Amino acid sequence: MPLSLCSNCDQSCLIKLNCSNEWIEFANQHKRTVTFSKGQTILHEGMPVDAVTFIRKGKVKVFKTGNHGKSHIVRLSNSGDMLGHRGFNQKVMPVSAVALETCKICFFDINNFVYIIKNNPEFSYKLLLFYSDELNDSEVMTQNHAQMNVRERIADSLVRIFNVYGECKNEKCLDILLSRQDIADIAGTTKEQVSKYLYEFQEEKTLLIKGKKIVILELDDLKRLI
Amino acid sequence: MPLSLCSNCDQSCLIKLNCSNEWIEFANQHKRTVTFSKGQTILHEGMPVDAVTFIRKGKVKVFKTGNHGKSHIVRLSNSGDMLGHRGFNQKVMPVSAVALETCKICFFDINNFVYIIKNNPEFSYKLLLFYSDELNDSEVMTQNHAQMNVRERIADSLVRIFNVYGECKNEKCLDILLSRQDIADIAGTTKEQVSKYLYEFQEEKTLLIKGKKIVILELDDLKRLI
DNA sequence: CGCGTTCTTGAGCATGTTCAAGGCCAGTGG
DNA sequence: CCACTGGCCTTGAACATGCTCAAGAACGCG
């Protein structure tokens, strides 16, 4: 088993992108990398915030659980992405994160992370820009949920999935298997509605359903709906 | 007319709270303060991002305009709050801001603001925490829109309005006059629904409607609905 | 191959929106 | 001082949208 050194990591996480070699080495010394298999929980809503994490490899869904047990998927994340930064100034973690496939996750003790931020103005500035982008993203999301109808939100969700995970080389299908319930939790609707509209989109030759695999035929058609 | 010096400003903006006197003086030298009357636009969606602003005095609504001309109120802001930080890493301003009453607004050239951030790690760190909180807030908002029904969202909106603006000393009514359409744009529904549910809440003795003034009788009842 | 899970599909119900008519209120001008 | 006007608010009816429930089909994992 190869060691999970930052130096042989082929992702561009925020740290590798924006820190000098000395700081990357500092990070390398102070992280621990853990493997999660599909379905395992990486972060759990309500737990104390003790770490910031990066995805070394794998796909992850980040979600919140509402009053009536309904989940709401906040973000789909991929290799290189940061997780758990939402808990930064919070008492407890506001979201859960679950592996959608086998994942390698790097954990940084929150104190070490704060140390990097406080002593590394350039990194701190880039992190600020990152948060600003996240905020904008989230507010666009809120607006979508407030103003779009279900059909539009499902189209929007498919475009988002495409943007994050892209498509499988061989089959041209979305490079991730999500349940109808997962898609519903992104779009803010029910699994039945997802089923119905997916078939409607298939009727309209916008996409193709092969079991759980979805092949986007006309991405522009979906974007036009939004 | 008194000068709008930072030194005689009685608000706690992010700068006054987190910067040393020298930096506050720097800010003071590089800002300009402008008065807006009720209904005037302070920031306009789609305009180039050239400034970060703080509310020296007054109430402001921050909103985005959707495809079909529908507005979505992103945030209600009050004296001391920052505006326009949503445009930080954006090409154009993603939101508009309109004065809900006479306002004094301090404008900082974006370059000066970046200069403060880059040379003031403590401020930069606090700004990071601020963005993190904003992100959490926004994601709670998204979840609310995705999972609550209209009645719950209107209750939630009223609680938010109460939290930001509080109540008038004399009349105990919410210390802001918003149109039904404004409340609808917060809750993500129509003005008719707002009308109907406000009267329903009045029936239930949760609040009292005096024309456009709203008196919250049982805040806990509203919170319990959420 | 068998079993449990997920997906599909339709019907009925609940919720929410749109439209339209009328009321109220404040400001204006005669 | 009163009538007029325009804007906002209220209210109900009709319609559209979306959700729930239930039954059967398909899938996928051991």
Side-chain angles (χ1 to χ4, degrees):
Chain A
M1 185 174 76
L3 283 172
S4 294
L5 300 174
C6 286
S7 52
N8 62 28
C9 171
D10 49 356
Q11 299 308 326
S12 312
C13 73
L14 217 62
I15 292 181
K16 285 202 79 167
L17 268 180
N18 299 300
C19 287
S20 64
N21 285 333
E22 294 96 66
W23 282 110
I24 293 175
E25 187 46 33
F26 175 87
N28 185 48
Q29 298 284 341
H30 289 84
K31 80 184 171 73
R32 67 207 150 85
T33 303
V34 182
T35 301
F36 291 86
S37 50
K38 184 173 174 170
Q40 284 191 311
T41 298
I42 300 164
L43 300 173
H44 202 293
E45 209 170 337
M47 295 294 280
V49 178
D50 51 9
V52 170
T53 72
F54 289 86
I55 306 175
R56 186 180 168 100
K57 178 108 199 63
K59 300 184 171 74
V60 173
K61 66 172 174 180
V62 178
F63 62 96
K64 290 164 105 73
T65 307
N67 310 332
H68 317 297
K70 278 193 254 180
S71 303
H72 161 64
I73 294 184
V74 168
R75 174 168 288 280
L76 295 171
S77 298
N78 208 348
S79 307
D81 289 347
M82 180 156 52
L83 294 176
H85 56 282
R86 289 175 177 76
F88 204 54
N89 200 26
Q90 303 290 117
K91 290 187 197 72
V92 299
M93 190 57 70
V95 295
S96 299
V98 163
L100 292 171
E101 58 180 35
T102 303
C103 288
K104 284 196 171 182
I105 310 289
C106 300
F107 284 76
F108 292 90
D109 183 279
I110 190 93
N111 297 322
N112 289 328
F113 195 70
V114 169
Y115 181 79
I116 299 182
I117 295 170
K118 290 204 169 174
N119 292 284
N120 195 336
E122 189 56 28
F123 177 66
S124 168
Y125 183 69
K126 289 293 168 58
L127 189 58
L128 204 59
L129 297 183
F130 168 78
Y131 268 109
S132 172
D133 288 346
E134 289 273 297
L135 179 59
N136 272 290
D137 236 56
S138 170
E139 290 186 340
V140 168
M141 201 77 188
T142 312
Q143 186 180 27
N144 289 352
H145 275 100
Q147 299 191 338
M148 288 178 171
N149 61 28
V150 170
R151 184 181 154 92
E152 291 165 334
R153 293 204 303 272
I154 292 175
D156 183 58
S157 302
L158 292 173
V159 173
R160 281 172 185 274
I161 296 167
F162 180 89
N163 287 341
V164 178
Y165 296 134
E167 41 193 21
C168 235
K169 278 162 204 159
N170 355 341
E171 302 197 66
K172 289 242 172 193
C173 65
L174 289 177
D175 195 14
I176 181 73
L177 287 183
L178 292 171
S179 69
R180 299 293 186 255
Q181 186 63 59
D182 281 331
I183 299 176
D185 291 345
I186 301 171
T189 181
T190 59
K191 53 189 187 313
E192 291 90 345
Q193 293 285 81
V194 173
S195 228
K196 285 166 190 171
Y197 282 111
L198 283 184
Y199 275 78
E200 197 172 302
F201 290 144
Q202 183 167 240
E203 287 290 298
E204 297 165 8
K205 318 278 185 211
T206 306
L207 51 76
L208 226 118
I209 303 167
K210 297 185 186 173
K212 297 186 76 170
K213 292 178 191 166
I214 297 172
V215 183
I216 307 273
L217 299 175
E218 297 292 342
L219 189 63
D220 290 343
D221 283 3
L222 289 179
K223 287 184 181 168
R224 212 170 299 125
L225 282 179
I226 303 172
Chain B
M1 186 174 73
L3 283 172
S4 294
L5 300 175
C6 286
S7 53
N8 62 29
C9 171
D10 49 354
Q11 299 308 326
S12 312
C13 73
L14 217 62
I15 292 181
K16 285 202 80 168
L17 269 180
N18 299 301
C19 287
S20 66
N21 286 332
E22 295 96 64
W23 282 111
I24 293 175
E25 187 47 33
F26 175 88
N28 185 48
Q29 298 284 341
H30 289 84
K31 80 184 171 72
R32 68 207 149 82
T33 303
V34 182
T35 301
F36 291 85
S37 50
K38 184 173 173 171
Q40 284 191 311
T41 297
I42 301 165
L43 300 174
H44 203 294
E45 208 170 339
M47 297 293 281
V49 178
D50 51 9
V52 169
T53 73
F54 289 86
I55 305 175
R56 186 181 169 99
K57 178 108 198 64
K59 301 184 171 72
V60 173
K61 67 172 174 180
V62 179
F63 62 96
K64 291 164 104 75
T65 307
N67 310 333
H68 317 298
K70 278 194 254 180
S71 303
H72 161 64
I73 294 184
V74 168
R75 173 168 289 281
L76 295 170
S77 297
N78 208 348
S79 307
D81 289 347
M82 180 155 53
L83 295 176
H85 55 283
R86 289 175 176 77
F88 205 54
N89 201 26
Q90 303 291 117
K91 290 186 197 72
V92 299
M93 191 57 70
V95 295
S96 299
V98 164
L100 291 170
E101 58 180 36
T102 303
C103 288
K104 285 196 169 182
I105 309 290
C106 301
F107 285 76
F108 293 89
D109 183 281
I110 190 93
N111 297 321
N112 289 327
F113 194 71
V114 170
Y115 182 78
I116 299 181
I117 295 170
K118 289 205 171 174
N119 291 282
N120 195 337
E122 189 56 27
F123 178 66
S124 167
Y125 183 69
K126 289 293 170 55
L127 190 57
L128 204 60
L129 297 184
F130 169 78
Y131 268 109
S132 171
D133 287 346
E134 289 273 297
L135 179 60
N136 272 291
D137 236 56
S138 170
E139 290 185 341
V140 168
M141 201 77 188
T142 312
Q143 186 181 26
N144 289 352
H145 275 99
Q147 299 190 339
M148 287 178 173
N149 61 28
V150 169
R151 183 181 154 92
E152 292 166 332
R153 293 205 302 272
I154 291 174
D156 182 58
S157 301
L158 292 173
V159 173
R160 280 171 186 274
I161 296 167
F162 180 90
N163 287 340
V164 178
Y165 297 134
E167 42 193 22
C168 236
K169 278 162 204 160
N170 354 343
E171 301 197 66
K172 290 240 171 195
C173 65
L174 289 177
D175 195 15
I176 181 73
L177 287 183
L178 293 170
S179 69
R180 299 294 186 255
Q181 186 63 60
D182 281 330
I183 300 176
D185 291 346
I186 301 170
T189 180
T190 60
K191 54 188 185 316
E192 291 91 344
Q193 293 285 80
V194 173
S195 228
K196 285 165 191 173
Y197 282 111
L198 283 184
Y199 275 78
E200 196 172 302
F201 290 145
Q202 183 167 242
E203 288 289 299
E204 296 165 8
K205 317 278 185 212
T206 305
L207 50 77
L208 225 119
I209 303 168
K210 297 184 186 174
K212 296 186 76 170
K213 293 177 191 165
I214 296 172
V215 184
I216 307 273
L217 298 175
E218 297 293 341
L219 190 63
D220 290 343
D221 283 4
L222 289 179
K223 286 184 181 167
R224 213 170 299 126
L225 283 178
I226 303 171

